[in-house]
Amino acid sequence: MTRTPYLRPLDFKTGRIELSHGAGGRASAQLVDELFVPAFDNEWLRQGNDQAVCPPPPELLQGGRLVMSTDAHVVSPIFFPGGDLGSLAVHGTINDVAMAGARPLYLAASFIIEAGYPLGELKRLVESMAQASRTAGVPVVTGDTKVVEPGKGDGVFITTTGVGVVPAGLRLDGAQAQPGDAVLLSGSIGEHGVAVLSKRESLAFDTAIESDSAALHGLVQAMLQGLGDAAGARLRLLRDPTRGGLATTLNEVARQSRCGIELDEAAIPVLPQVAAACELLGLDPLYVANEGKLVAVCAPEAAEPLLAAMRAHPLGQRAARIGTVLATPADQVQMRTRLGGRRMVDWLTGEQLPRIC
């Protein structure tokens, strides 16, 4: 029988995180051995080193380029309808990598945990994160854990870094939008922000509202396949409208591309329960965070084949053409309202929903 170096196993029913779990000694090793390694188990993590040594992907050897992104996740509450901090940390970083048209390869994860946090909740969080990673096919290959004093961490913060590879000949960039281009949206907006807020404020609605948190790299690959060899020439850029929502994302694109964007309010999909909740709470769905939607800007002749590819994928069934890129006014986003008027859609001012992702 293999001798264990630990006096007793971790108590995931009543145990809590202690400062010693982040001190780098025996308690730290036990937390890694009994929680993180079994949850995230893969050949690279199993090496047990301070880094992961991974093989180069074929695309890189064929002229492709590496893509890297990092994101800190501080959502409150940690568990919300449709997801939690763990799955969100996986989806958020995968999506940032995927918006370059890249195939996500590996994730690294860093946990900052407050002393006193229940071990059982941490286990639930880590297992959810591991399941999201396995479902997406993007392993967590290395990581780190730190523990801070009570009152200094608000539970758990997770930072994830993702690495991917984009094939040769494909360049998606926020500065590439051109006058006449079509603006597409993969589905309805606002679910994530409203779901988190409803849990935070203990709000109950007649119809359940769940976060749209999802990994979008499969949808992106379906879109690229739908355009075939024309993808590099016809698809200008992809963005995921997270903090600041759709409105802020499109303002970023307008500024980068030095162009204007005109939206059609009637074409932007919003679930009735989300629209009702936003009206009740005094929120504009255009500024509410999403975690499972993307914006695409493409050449006008590519709009219909791209929409067809998106609607054929489970995460793009409500895809719609919502606007057009204009030459002027540069750096501005405008919207044709349902009543036939026109209004400016400016950047988010302040913070509608803090600690949302």
Side-chain angles (χ1 to χ4, degrees):
M1 189 170 75
T2 303
R3 179 178 177 273
T4 174
Y6 312 120
L7 295 176
R8 62 183 63 87
L10 291 174
D11 180 1
F12 288 111
K13 288 187 177 180
T14 61
R16 292 181 177 273
I17 287 290
E18 301 174 3
L19 287 172
S20 61
H21 287 123
R26 191 184 298 271
S28 298
Q30 183 176 17
L31 186 66
V32 171
D33 288 348
E34 295 185 11
L35 177 59
F36 294 110
V37 170
F40 295 122
D41 186 43
N42 58 70
E43 60 181 297
W44 301 281
L45 192 66
R46 217 174 295 137
Q47 295 168 2
N49 297 317
D50 288 340
Q51 71 292 117
V53 180
C54 306
E59 297 97 325
L60 194 60
L61 303 177
Q62 298 165 4
R65 291 161 294 141
L66 281 178
V67 176
M68 180 174 155
S69 181
T70 192
D71 201 354
H73 305 271
V74 297
V75 67
S76 176
I78 288 174
F79 299 94
F80 49 85
D84 53 60
L85 178 63
S87 58
L88 184 67
V90 169
H91 296 157
T93 297
I94 285 176
N95 292 347
D96 285 344
V97 170
M99 293 306 104
R103 177 171 66 91
L105 299 172
Y106 309 110
L107 293 170
S110 174
F111 291 77
I112 298 178
I113 312 168
E114 183 180 9
Y117 192 74
L119 276 168
E121 287 196 15
L122 181 61
K123 185 173 187 287
R124 177 185 168 194
L125 193 65
V126 170
E127 289 178 345
S128 172
M129 188 173 178
Q131 182 59 53
S133 168
R134 284 192 294 271
T135 300
V138 185
V140 176
V141 297
T142 189
D144 185 50
T145 303
K146 295 293 188 293
V147 178
V148 297
E149 294 87 350
K152 300 289 183 66
D154 199 13
V156 183
F157 298 153
I158 302 177
T159 295
T160 43
T161 298
V163 176
V165 60
V166 62
L170 181 65
R171 177 176 174 266
L172 305 181
D173 191 299
Q176 293 192 144
Q178 301 176 20
D181 283 350
V183 181
L184 314 182
L185 178 64
S186 66
S188 52
I189 59 173
E191 287 104 305
H192 175 72
V194 172
V196 172
L197 183 63
S198 67
K199 180 68 174 179
R200 183 186 301 171
E201 304 297 337
S202 300
L203 301 175
F205 301 105
D206 291 339
T207 304
I209 300 175
E210 292 191 346
S211 170
D212 61 343
S213 181
L216 294 170
H217 58 307
L219 174 60
V220 171
Q221 293 306 309
M223 295 166 65
L224 295 176
Q225 291 170 10
L227 291 179
D229 294 338
R234 295 184 176 180
L235 184 59
R236 315 291 194 209
L237 63 97
L238 298 173
R239 285 290 178 88
D240 56 333
T242 53
R243 284 180 300 173
L246 177 65
T248 298
T249 295
L250 291 178
N251 271 282
E252 291 173 350
V253 171
R255 183 179 67 175
Q256 280 185 269
S257 293
R258 303 294 300 169
C259 63
I261 295 177
E262 182 183 65
L263 299 176
D264 179 0
E265 184 179 24
I268 300 173
V270 182
L271 295 179
Q273 60 267 36
V274 171
C278 286
E279 184 174 359
L280 175 67
L281 298 168
L283 301 174
D284 186 337
L286 290 174
Y287 295 93
V288 177
N290 312 274
E291 290 293 343
K293 301 299 188 301
L294 64 80
V295 174
V297 175
C298 65
E301 66 272 16
E304 287 308 314
L306 201 53
L307 281 172
M310 294 167 75
R311 290 167 180 164
H313 191 277
L315 295 179
Q317 293 176 349
R318 294 192 182 95
R321 181 171 180 167
I322 63 167
T324 303
V325 178
L326 307 175
T328 56
D331 300 351
Q332 293 185 9
V333 180
Q334 301 183 25
M335 185 164 68
R336 298 193 309 273
T337 68
R338 288 185 176 86
L339 299 178
R342 187 179 296 271
R343 74 174 177 92
M344 292 293 301
V345 179
D346 206 350
W347 293 75
L348 174 65
T349 302
E351 181 67 86
Q352 269 198 134
L353 300 173
R355 299 284 303 280
I356 208 72
C357 59

